[in-house]
Amino acid sequence: MSKEIAIDIKDARVLKSLFDDFYVPLCLFVGRYLPHTGEAEDIAQECFIQLWQQRGEFRFLHQVKSFLYKTARNRALNALEHRRVEDAYVHRELEKGSEAFFRDHVIEEETYRMLRNAIDRLPEQTRRVMILALEEHDNKEIAARLQIAEGTVHSLKKIAYKRLREDLKDYFYVCLPLLTAVLGK
């Protein structure tokens, strides 16, 4: 059975002694999680700063050891999670720069432009319904906004769909996903 060793961290000399005894082992411990020595050293130092800030909470050496290693582990895991989030962000940004990403977005924007031009040629009430639908309003919201019946909105969308299919017949299959999304609401 191990003997509990009382400790008074409020004394700066005791903290210095703990630092001398545990700093290198903490660096090595954190190094198992994080390969960069500087990062491990920073985390070990942060653990001692936190220990000093909470110094009144510890009475025994085993409590201090447990605190230092748990804090070091948690900080290392947080650093790993932060790195994972950063890597995912960088990956997404690199994808955006890829040729396929660029091409897909140009096609999407050009398709939207063609659809919008065709909608602009519709009769006024039908055009207003379709513009609101493109803004992702459902039939009930469109009806309320234009002060018309919900059934009228549905009918105007059907008329617009037929007319747009004629106007965009050469591009219909490119525009179909956008039309389906708009008219499906």
Short mmCIF file of all heavy atoms in Angstrom, two decimals, residues 9-69:
data_model
loop_
_atom_site.label_atom_id
_atom_site.label_comp_id
_atom_site.label_asym_id
_atom_site.label_seq_id
_atom_site.Cartn_x
_atom_site.Cartn_y
_atom_site.Cartn_z
N ILE A 9 1.41 23.08 -2.63
CA ILE A 9 1.81 23.71 -3.90
C ILE A 9 1.79 25.24 -3.79
O ILE A 9 2.33 25.93 -4.64
CB ILE A 9 0.88 23.25 -5.05
CG1 ILE A 9 0.88 21.75 -5.13
CG2 ILE A 9 1.32 23.82 -6.38
CD1 ILE A 9 -0.07 21.21 -6.14
N LYS A 10 1.22 25.76 -2.74
CA LYS A 10 1.20 27.21 -2.58
C LYS A 10 2.61 27.77 -2.43
O LYS A 10 2.84 28.94 -2.69
CB LYS A 10 0.34 27.59 -1.38
CG LYS A 10 -1.12 27.24 -1.57
CD LYS A 10 -1.92 27.51 -0.33
CE LYS A 10 -3.33 26.97 -0.52
NZ LYS A 10 -4.10 26.96 0.71
N ASP A 11 3.52 26.91 -2.04
CA ASP A 11 4.93 27.29 -1.92
C ASP A 11 5.58 27.16 -3.31
O ASP A 11 5.60 26.08 -3.91
CB ASP A 11 5.62 26.36 -0.91
CG ASP A 11 7.07 26.71 -0.67
OD1 ASP A 11 7.64 27.51 -1.45
OD2 ASP A 11 7.65 26.16 0.28
N ALA A 12 6.10 28.25 -3.85
CA ALA A 12 6.67 28.28 -5.19
C ALA A 12 7.84 27.30 -5.32
O ALA A 12 8.07 26.74 -6.40
CB ALA A 12 7.13 29.69 -5.56
N ARG A 13 8.57 27.04 -4.23
CA ARG A 13 9.69 26.09 -4.28
C ARG A 13 9.19 24.67 -4.51
O ARG A 13 9.82 23.89 -5.21
CB ARG A 13 10.51 26.17 -2.99
CG ARG A 13 11.26 27.48 -2.83
CD ARG A 13 11.97 27.50 -1.53
NE ARG A 13 10.95 27.31 -0.48
CZ ARG A 13 11.02 27.78 0.74
NH1 ARG A 13 12.07 28.43 1.12
NH2 ARG A 13 10.06 27.59 1.60
N VAL A 14 8.03 24.36 -3.96
CA VAL A 14 7.44 23.03 -4.16
C VAL A 14 7.01 22.89 -5.62
O VAL A 14 7.25 21.86 -6.25
CB VAL A 14 6.24 22.82 -3.21
CG1 VAL A 14 5.51 21.52 -3.53
CG2 VAL A 14 6.71 22.82 -1.75
N LEU A 15 6.41 23.93 -6.17
CA LEU A 15 6.02 23.89 -7.58
C LEU A 15 7.26 23.72 -8.46
O LEU A 15 7.25 22.94 -9.41
CB LEU A 15 5.26 25.15 -7.98
CG LEU A 15 4.78 25.14 -9.44
CD1 LEU A 15 3.71 24.08 -9.65
CD2 LEU A 15 4.25 26.50 -9.84
N LYS A 16 8.34 24.43 -8.13
CA LYS A 16 9.58 24.31 -8.91
C LYS A 16 10.11 22.89 -8.84
O LYS A 16 10.53 22.32 -9.86
CB LYS A 16 10.62 25.30 -8.35
CG LYS A 16 12.04 25.10 -8.83
CD LYS A 16 12.31 25.82 -10.13
CE LYS A 16 13.76 25.81 -10.50
NZ LYS A 16 14.21 24.67 -11.24
N SER A 17 10.04 22.28 -7.70
CA SER A 17 10.48 20.90 -7.54
C SER A 17 9.61 19.94 -8.37
O SER A 17 10.13 19.02 -9.02
CB SER A 17 10.44 20.51 -6.06
OG SER A 17 10.77 19.16 -5.91
N LEU A 18 8.30 20.17 -8.35
CA LEU A 18 7.39 19.35 -9.16
C LEU A 18 7.69 19.53 -10.65
O LEU A 18 7.70 18.56 -11.41
CB LEU A 18 5.93 19.74 -8.89
CG LEU A 18 5.36 19.33 -7.54
CD1 LEU A 18 4.00 20.00 -7.31
CD2 LEU A 18 5.23 17.82 -7.47
N PHE A 19 7.96 20.77 -11.04
CA PHE A 19 8.28 21.06 -12.43
C PHE A 19 9.55 20.29 -12.83
O PHE A 19 9.59 19.64 -13.87
CB PHE A 19 8.48 22.56 -12.63
CG PHE A 19 8.71 22.95 -14.05
CD1 PHE A 19 7.65 23.19 -14.91
CD2 PHE A 19 10.01 23.08 -14.54
CE1 PHE A 19 7.87 23.55 -16.24
CE2 PHE A 19 10.24 23.43 -15.86
CZ PHE A 19 9.16 23.67 -16.72
N ASP A 20 10.56 20.35 -12.00
CA ASP A 20 11.82 19.65 -12.29
C ASP A 20 11.62 18.14 -12.39
O ASP A 20 12.23 17.48 -13.23
CB ASP A 20 12.87 19.95 -11.20
CG ASP A 20 13.34 21.40 -11.23
OD1 ASP A 20 13.15 22.07 -12.28
OD2 ASP A 20 13.89 21.87 -10.21
N ASP A 21 10.75 17.60 -11.56
CA ASP A 21 10.51 16.16 -11.55
C ASP A 21 9.60 15.68 -12.69
O ASP A 21 9.78 14.57 -13.20
CB ASP A 21 9.87 15.72 -10.22
CG ASP A 21 10.84 15.82 -9.06
OD1 ASP A 21 12.06 15.94 -9.29
OD2 ASP A 21 10.37 15.78 -7.90
N PHE A 22 8.63 16.50 -13.08
CA PHE A 22 7.60 16.00 -14.00
C PHE A 22 7.58 16.63 -15.39
O PHE A 22 6.89 16.13 -16.27
CB PHE A 22 6.20 16.16 -13.37
CG PHE A 22 5.97 15.23 -12.22
CD1 PHE A 22 6.07 15.69 -10.92
CD2 PHE A 22 5.67 13.89 -12.43
CE1 PHE A 22 5.87 14.83 -9.85
CE2 PHE A 22 5.47 13.03 -11.38
CZ PHE A 22 5.57 13.50 -10.08
N TYR A 23 8.32 17.71 -15.60
CA TYR A 23 8.26 18.38 -16.90
C TYR A 23 8.69 17.46 -18.04
O TYR A 23 7.96 17.28 -19.02
CB TYR A 23 9.09 19.67 -16.89
CG TYR A 23 9.13 20.35 -18.23
CD1 TYR A 23 8.03 21.03 -18.72
CD2 TYR A 23 10.27 20.29 -19.04
CE1 TYR A 23 8.05 21.64 -19.96
CE2 TYR A 23 10.30 20.90 -20.28
CZ TYR A 23 9.19 21.58 -20.74
OH TYR A 23 9.21 22.17 -21.96
N VAL A 24 9.85 16.87 -17.93
CA VAL A 24 10.35 16.00 -19.02
C VAL A 24 9.44 14.77 -19.21
O VAL A 24 9.06 14.46 -20.34
CB VAL A 24 11.82 15.59 -18.78
CG1 VAL A 24 12.27 14.54 -19.79
CG2 VAL A 24 12.72 16.83 -18.87
N PRO A 25 9.05 14.09 -18.13
CA PRO A 25 8.12 12.96 -18.34
C PRO A 25 6.80 13.39 -19.00
O PRO A 25 6.26 12.66 -19.84
CB PRO A 25 7.88 12.43 -16.92
CG PRO A 25 9.09 12.82 -16.16
CD PRO A 25 9.51 14.14 -16.74
N LEU A 26 6.29 14.58 -18.66
CA LEU A 26 5.07 15.06 -19.29
C LEU A 26 5.29 15.33 -20.79
O LEU A 26 4.45 15.01 -21.62
CB LEU A 26 4.57 16.34 -18.62
CG LEU A 26 3.65 16.18 -17.42
CD1 LEU A 26 3.24 17.54 -16.88
CD2 LEU A 26 2.41 15.37 -17.75
N CYS A 27 6.44 15.91 -21.12
CA CYS A 27 6.77 16.16 -22.53
C CYS A 27 6.80 14.85 -23.30
O CYS A 27 6.27 14.75 -24.41
CB CYS A 27 8.12 16.87 -22.67
SG CYS A 27 8.09 18.60 -22.14
N LEU A 28 7.42 13.84 -22.72
CA LEU A 28 7.49 12.53 -23.37
C LEU A 28 6.10 11.91 -23.50
O LEU A 28 5.76 11.31 -24.53
CB LEU A 28 8.43 11.60 -22.59
CG LEU A 28 9.89 12.02 -22.58
CD1 LEU A 28 10.69 11.14 -21.61
CD2 LEU A 28 10.49 11.96 -23.97
N PHE A 29 5.30 12.06 -22.47
CA PHE A 29 3.93 11.53 -22.48
C PHE A 29 3.11 12.19 -23.58
O PHE A 29 2.45 11.51 -24.38
CB PHE A 29 3.29 11.77 -21.10
CG PHE A 29 1.86 11.35 -21.01
CD1 PHE A 29 1.51 10.01 -20.94
CD2 PHE A 29 0.85 12.30 -20.98
CE1 PHE A 29 0.18 9.62 -20.84
CE2 PHE A 29 -0.48 11.92 -20.88
CZ PHE A 29 -0.82 10.59 -20.82
N VAL A 30 3.14 13.50 -23.66
CA VAL A 30 2.40 14.23 -24.69
C VAL A 30 2.96 13.90 -26.07
O VAL A 30 2.22 13.81 -27.05
CB VAL A 30 2.42 15.76 -24.43
CG1 VAL A 30 1.81 16.53 -25.59
CG2 VAL A 30 1.70 16.09 -23.13
N GLY A 31 4.27 13.67 -26.15
CA GLY A 31 4.91 13.32 -27.42
C GLY A 31 4.37 12.03 -28.02
O GLY A 31 4.48 11.81 -29.23
N ARG A 32 3.78 11.19 -27.21
CA ARG A 32 3.15 9.97 -27.74
C ARG A 32 1.88 10.30 -28.53
O ARG A 32 1.46 9.54 -29.38
CB ARG A 32 2.81 9.00 -26.61
CG ARG A 32 4.05 8.44 -25.95
CD ARG A 32 3.67 7.55 -24.78
NE ARG A 32 4.84 7.10 -24.08
CZ ARG A 32 5.28 5.86 -24.10
NH1 ARG A 32 4.64 4.94 -24.78
NH2 ARG A 32 6.35 5.53 -23.42
N TYR A 33 1.27 11.43 -28.21
CA TYR A 33 0.08 11.89 -28.94
C TYR A 33 0.45 12.81 -30.09
O TYR A 33 -0.13 12.75 -31.16
CB TYR A 33 -0.87 12.66 -28.00
CG TYR A 33 -1.52 11.82 -26.93
CD1 TYR A 33 -0.94 11.71 -25.67
CD2 TYR A 33 -2.71 11.15 -27.17
CE1 TYR A 33 -1.54 10.95 -24.67
CE2 TYR A 33 -3.31 10.40 -26.18
CZ TYR A 33 -2.73 10.29 -24.93
OH TYR A 33 -3.31 9.54 -23.96
N LEU A 34 1.40 13.70 -29.82
CA LEU A 34 1.77 14.74 -30.78
C LEU A 34 3.26 14.62 -31.13
O LEU A 34 4.09 14.68 -30.23
CB LEU A 34 1.49 16.12 -30.20
CG LEU A 34 0.07 16.36 -29.69
CD1 LEU A 34 0.00 17.65 -28.90
CD2 LEU A 34 -0.89 16.41 -30.87
N PRO A 35 3.58 14.48 -32.39
CA PRO A 35 4.97 14.25 -32.77
C PRO A 35 5.88 15.47 -32.67
O PRO A 35 7.08 15.32 -32.61
CB PRO A 35 4.86 13.79 -34.23
CG PRO A 35 3.59 14.40 -34.72
CD PRO A 35 2.68 14.45 -33.53
N HIS A 36 5.34 16.67 -32.60
CA HIS A 36 6.17 17.87 -32.58
C HIS A 36 6.61 18.19 -31.16
O HIS A 36 5.78 18.43 -30.28
CB HIS A 36 5.42 19.06 -33.18
CG HIS A 36 4.96 18.80 -34.59
ND1 HIS A 36 5.84 18.63 -35.63
CD2 HIS A 36 3.74 18.67 -35.12
CE1 HIS A 36 5.18 18.42 -36.74
NE2 HIS A 36 3.89 18.42 -36.46
N THR A 37 7.90 18.21 -30.93
CA THR A 37 8.46 18.43 -29.61
C THR A 37 8.01 19.76 -29.03
O THR A 37 7.64 19.84 -27.85
CB THR A 37 10.00 18.40 -29.67
OG1 THR A 37 10.40 17.17 -30.28
CG2 THR A 37 10.62 18.51 -28.30
N GLY A 38 8.03 20.81 -29.84
CA GLY A 38 7.63 22.13 -29.35
C GLY A 38 6.22 22.15 -28.83
O GLY A 38 5.92 22.78 -27.81
N GLU A 39 5.34 21.46 -29.53
CA GLU A 39 3.94 21.41 -29.11
C GLU A 39 3.80 20.65 -27.79
O GLU A 39 3.04 21.06 -26.90
CB GLU A 39 3.12 20.73 -30.21
CG GLU A 39 1.66 21.01 -30.17
CD GLU A 39 0.94 20.49 -31.40
OE1 GLU A 39 1.52 19.77 -32.22
OE2 GLU A 39 -0.25 20.85 -31.54
N ALA A 40 4.54 19.58 -27.65
CA ALA A 40 4.52 18.79 -26.41
C ALA A 40 5.04 19.63 -25.24
O ALA A 40 4.48 19.60 -24.14
CB ALA A 40 5.34 17.51 -26.58
N GLU A 41 6.11 20.38 -25.50
CA GLU A 41 6.66 21.24 -24.44
C GLU A 41 5.68 22.32 -24.03
O GLU A 41 5.53 22.62 -22.84
CB GLU A 41 7.98 21.86 -24.92
CG GLU A 41 9.10 20.85 -25.07
CD GLU A 41 10.33 21.42 -25.77
OE1 GLU A 41 10.27 22.57 -26.28
OE2 GLU A 41 11.34 20.71 -25.82
N ASP A 42 5.01 22.91 -25.02
CA ASP A 42 4.01 23.94 -24.71
C ASP A 42 2.90 23.39 -23.83
O ASP A 42 2.48 24.02 -22.86
CB ASP A 42 3.40 24.51 -25.99
CG ASP A 42 4.37 25.38 -26.78
OD1 ASP A 42 5.40 25.78 -26.22
OD2 ASP A 42 4.07 25.66 -27.96
N ILE A 43 2.42 22.20 -24.18
CA ILE A 43 1.33 21.60 -23.41
C ILE A 43 1.79 21.27 -22.00
O ILE A 43 1.07 21.52 -21.02
CB ILE A 43 0.78 20.35 -24.14
CG1 ILE A 43 -0.03 20.81 -25.35
CG2 ILE A 43 -0.07 19.49 -23.19
CD1 ILE A 43 -0.56 19.70 -26.23
N ALA A 44 3.00 20.75 -21.84
CA ALA A 44 3.52 20.45 -20.50
C ALA A 44 3.59 21.73 -19.66
O ALA A 44 3.19 21.74 -18.49
CB ALA A 44 4.89 19.79 -20.60
N GLN A 45 4.07 22.81 -20.26
CA GLN A 45 4.13 24.09 -19.53
C GLN A 45 2.73 24.58 -19.16
O GLN A 45 2.51 25.07 -18.04
CB GLN A 45 4.84 25.14 -20.38
CG GLN A 45 6.33 24.89 -20.53
CD GLN A 45 6.98 25.85 -21.51
OE1 GLN A 45 6.41 26.86 -21.89
NE2 GLN A 45 8.21 25.52 -21.91
N GLU A 46 1.79 24.45 -20.08
CA GLU A 46 0.41 24.86 -19.80
C GLU A 46 -0.17 24.06 -18.64
O GLU A 46 -0.96 24.59 -17.84
CB GLU A 46 -0.45 24.71 -21.05
CG GLU A 46 -0.12 25.70 -22.14
CD GLU A 46 -0.76 25.36 -23.48
OE1 GLU A 46 -1.56 24.39 -23.56
OE2 GLU A 46 -0.46 26.05 -24.46
N CYS A 47 0.20 22.81 -18.53
CA CYS A 47 -0.29 21.97 -17.43
C CYS A 47 0.19 22.52 -16.09
O CYS A 47 -0.57 22.57 -15.11
CB CYS A 47 0.18 20.54 -17.60
SG CYS A 47 -0.58 19.68 -18.99
N PHE A 48 1.46 22.96 -16.05
CA PHE A 48 1.98 23.52 -14.80
C PHE A 48 1.37 24.88 -14.49
O PHE A 48 1.15 25.20 -13.33
CB PHE A 48 3.52 23.59 -14.85
CG PHE A 48 4.16 22.28 -14.57
CD1 PHE A 48 4.61 21.47 -15.60
CD2 PHE A 48 4.27 21.81 -13.27
CE1 PHE A 48 5.17 20.25 -15.35
CE2 PHE A 48 4.83 20.58 -12.99
CZ PHE A 48 5.28 19.79 -14.04
N ILE A 49 1.07 25.64 -15.50
CA ILE A 49 0.40 26.93 -15.27
C ILE A 49 -0.98 26.67 -14.67
O ILE A 49 -1.38 27.32 -13.70
CB ILE A 49 0.29 27.73 -16.59
CG1 ILE A 49 1.66 28.21 -17.04
CG2 ILE A 49 -0.68 28.90 -16.44
CD1 ILE A 49 1.71 28.77 -18.45
N GLN A 50 -1.70 25.71 -15.24
CA GLN A 50 -3.02 25.38 -14.72
C GLN A 50 -2.92 24.82 -13.31
O GLN A 50 -3.76 25.12 -12.45
CB GLN A 50 -3.72 24.39 -15.66
CG GLN A 50 -5.19 24.22 -15.36
CD GLN A 50 -5.92 23.42 -16.41
OE1 GLN A 50 -5.42 23.19 -17.51
NE2 GLN A 50 -7.11 22.98 -16.08
N LEU A 51 -1.89 24.02 -13.06
CA LEU A 51 -1.67 23.49 -11.71
C LEU A 51 -1.48 24.64 -10.72
O LEU A 51 -2.07 24.64 -9.64
CB LEU A 51 -0.46 22.56 -11.69
CG LEU A 51 -0.05 22.00 -10.32
CD1 LEU A 51 -1.14 21.06 -9.79
CD2 LEU A 51 1.28 21.27 -10.42
N TRP A 52 -0.69 25.63 -11.08
CA TRP A 52 -0.44 26.77 -10.20
C TRP A 52 -1.74 27.54 -9.97
O TRP A 52 -2.01 27.98 -8.85
CB TRP A 52 0.63 27.67 -10.81
CG TRP A 52 0.93 28.87 -9.96
CD1 TRP A 52 0.60 30.16 -10.23
CD2 TRP A 52 1.59 28.90 -8.69
NE1 TRP A 52 1.01 30.99 -9.23
CE2 TRP A 52 1.63 30.23 -8.25
CE3 TRP A 52 2.15 27.92 -7.88
CZ2 TRP A 52 2.20 30.62 -7.06
CZ3 TRP A 52 2.73 28.30 -6.68
CH2 TRP A 52 2.74 29.63 -6.28
N GLN A 53 -2.56 27.69 -11.02
CA GLN A 53 -3.81 28.42 -10.89
C GLN A 53 -4.79 27.70 -9.96
O GLN A 53 -5.61 28.33 -9.31
CB GLN A 53 -4.45 28.63 -12.27
CG GLN A 53 -3.67 29.60 -13.14
CD GLN A 53 -4.15 29.62 -14.58
OE1 GLN A 53 -4.79 28.69 -15.05
NE2 GLN A 53 -3.83 30.68 -15.29
N GLN A 54 -4.68 26.39 -9.90
CA GLN A 54 -5.61 25.60 -9.07
C GLN A 54 -4.91 25.01 -7.84
O GLN A 54 -5.37 24.03 -7.26
CB GLN A 54 -6.22 24.48 -9.92
CG GLN A 54 -7.04 24.99 -11.07
CD GLN A 54 -7.59 23.87 -11.94
OE1 GLN A 54 -7.40 22.69 -11.68
NE2 GLN A 54 -8.28 24.24 -13.00
N ARG A 55 -3.81 25.60 -7.45
CA ARG A 55 -2.95 25.03 -6.42
C ARG A 55 -3.64 24.76 -5.09
O ARG A 55 -3.27 23.86 -4.36
CB ARG A 55 -1.72 25.91 -6.21
CG ARG A 55 -2.03 27.30 -5.72
CD ARG A 55 -0.78 28.19 -5.74
NE ARG A 55 -1.07 29.55 -5.44
CZ ARG A 55 -1.37 30.49 -6.33
NH1 ARG A 55 -1.43 30.18 -7.60
NH2 ARG A 55 -1.61 31.72 -5.95
N GLY A 56 -4.68 25.49 -4.77
CA GLY A 56 -5.37 25.30 -3.50
C GLY A 56 -6.21 24.03 -3.45
O GLY A 56 -6.68 23.63 -2.39
N GLU A 57 -6.39 23.37 -4.59
CA GLU A 57 -7.26 22.20 -4.65
C GLU A 57 -6.54 20.88 -4.37
O GLU A 57 -7.17 19.84 -4.31
CB GLU A 57 -7.92 22.13 -6.03
CG GLU A 57 -8.80 23.32 -6.33
CD GLU A 57 -9.40 23.28 -7.72
OE1 GLU A 57 -9.55 22.16 -8.27
OE2 GLU A 57 -9.72 24.35 -8.24
N PHE A 58 -5.21 20.92 -4.20
CA PHE A 58 -4.44 19.67 -4.07
C PHE A 58 -3.78 19.59 -2.70
O PHE A 58 -3.18 20.54 -2.23
CB PHE A 58 -3.36 19.60 -5.17
CG PHE A 58 -3.93 19.73 -6.55
CD1 PHE A 58 -3.89 20.94 -7.24
CD2 PHE A 58 -4.52 18.64 -7.17
CE1 PHE A 58 -4.42 21.06 -8.50
CE2 PHE A 58 -5.06 18.75 -8.44
CZ PHE A 58 -5.01 19.98 -9.11
N ARG A 59 -3.91 18.39 -2.11
CA ARG A 59 -3.29 18.18 -0.80
C ARG A 59 -2.25 17.07 -0.84
O ARG A 59 -1.36 17.02 0.01
CB ARG A 59 -4.36 17.83 0.22
CG ARG A 59 -5.30 19.01 0.48
CD ARG A 59 -6.35 18.75 1.51
NE ARG A 59 -5.81 18.12 2.70
CZ ARG A 59 -6.48 17.26 3.46
NH1 ARG A 59 -7.72 16.94 3.15
NH2 ARG A 59 -5.92 16.73 4.52
N PHE A 60 -2.34 16.19 -1.85
CA PHE A 60 -1.45 15.04 -1.90
C PHE A 60 -0.77 14.93 -3.26
O PHE A 60 -1.33 15.35 -4.29
CB PHE A 60 -2.21 13.74 -1.62
CG PHE A 60 -2.85 13.74 -0.25
CD1 PHE A 60 -4.22 13.97 -0.11
CD2 PHE A 60 -2.10 13.54 0.89
CE1 PHE A 60 -4.82 13.98 1.14
CE2 PHE A 60 -2.69 13.55 2.15
CZ PHE A 60 -4.05 13.76 2.28
N LEU A 61 0.40 14.35 -3.27
CA LEU A 61 1.20 14.21 -4.49
C LEU A 61 0.47 13.39 -5.55
O LEU A 61 0.50 13.73 -6.73
CB LEU A 61 2.56 13.57 -4.17
CG LEU A 61 3.50 13.40 -5.35
CD1 LEU A 61 3.82 14.75 -5.99
CD2 LEU A 61 4.78 12.70 -4.93
N HIS A 62 -0.24 12.32 -5.17
CA HIS A 62 -0.94 11.51 -6.16
C HIS A 62 -2.02 12.31 -6.88
O HIS A 62 -2.30 12.08 -8.06
CB HIS A 62 -1.51 10.22 -5.54
CG HIS A 62 -2.71 10.43 -4.69
ND1 HIS A 62 -2.62 10.81 -3.36
CD2 HIS A 62 -4.03 10.33 -4.97
CE1 HIS A 62 -3.84 10.93 -2.85
NE2 HIS A 62 -4.72 10.64 -3.82
N GLN A 63 -2.62 13.28 -6.19
CA GLN A 63 -3.61 14.15 -6.83
C GLN A 63 -2.94 15.03 -7.90
O GLN A 63 -3.48 15.23 -8.99
CB GLN A 63 -4.29 15.06 -5.80
CG GLN A 63 -5.17 14.34 -4.81
CD GLN A 63 -5.66 15.28 -3.73
OE1 GLN A 63 -4.90 16.11 -3.21
NE2 GLN A 63 -6.95 15.14 -3.38
N VAL A 64 -1.76 15.53 -7.58
CA VAL A 64 -1.02 16.38 -8.51
C VAL A 64 -0.62 15.59 -9.75
O VAL A 64 -0.81 16.03 -10.88
CB VAL A 64 0.22 17.01 -7.83
CG1 VAL A 64 1.10 17.72 -8.84
CG2 VAL A 64 -0.21 17.95 -6.71
N LYS A 65 -0.08 14.40 -9.54
CA LYS A 65 0.33 13.55 -10.67
C LYS A 65 -0.86 13.24 -11.56
O LYS A 65 -0.79 13.36 -12.79
CB LYS A 65 0.92 12.23 -10.16
CG LYS A 65 2.29 12.30 -9.59
CD LYS A 65 2.73 10.86 -9.29
CE LYS A 65 3.81 10.76 -8.29
NZ LYS A 65 4.19 9.35 -8.03
N SER A 66 -1.95 12.83 -10.94
CA SER A 66 -3.15 12.51 -11.71
C SER A 66 -3.61 13.72 -12.50
O SER A 66 -3.94 13.63 -13.69
CB SER A 66 -4.24 12.04 -10.75
OG SER A 66 -5.43 11.81 -11.45
N PHE A 67 -3.63 14.88 -11.86
CA PHE A 67 -4.04 16.11 -12.53
C PHE A 67 -3.14 16.42 -13.72
O PHE A 67 -3.62 16.73 -14.81
CB PHE A 67 -4.02 17.28 -11.53
CG PHE A 67 -4.25 18.61 -12.19
CD1 PHE A 67 -5.54 19.04 -12.48
CD2 PHE A 67 -3.18 19.43 -12.53
CE1 PHE A 67 -5.75 20.27 -13.09
CE2 PHE A 67 -3.39 20.66 -13.15
CZ PHE A 67 -4.67 21.08 -13.43
N LEU A 68 -1.83 16.36 -13.51
CA LEU A 68 -0.90 16.70 -14.59
C LEU A 68 -1.07 15.78 -15.80
O LEU A 68 -1.13 16.25 -16.94
CB LEU A 68 0.55 16.64 -14.08
CG LEU A 68 0.98 17.76 -13.14
CD1 LEU A 68 2.37 17.49 -12.57
CD2 LEU A 68 0.95 19.11 -13.86
N TYR A 69 -1.16 14.49 -15.57
CA TYR A 69 -1.26 13.55 -16.70
C TYR A 69 -2.63 13.63 -17.40
O TYR A 69 -2.72 13.55 -18.61
CB TYR A 69 -0.93 12.13 -16.27
CG TYR A 69 0.57 11.94 -16.11
CD1 TYR A 69 1.17 11.94 -14.87
CD2 TYR A 69 1.38 11.80 -17.24
CE1 TYR A 69 2.54 11.80 -14.73
CE2 TYR A 69 2.75 11.66 -17.11
CZ TYR A 69 3.33 11.66 -15.85
OH TYR A 69 4.69 11.53 -15.74
#
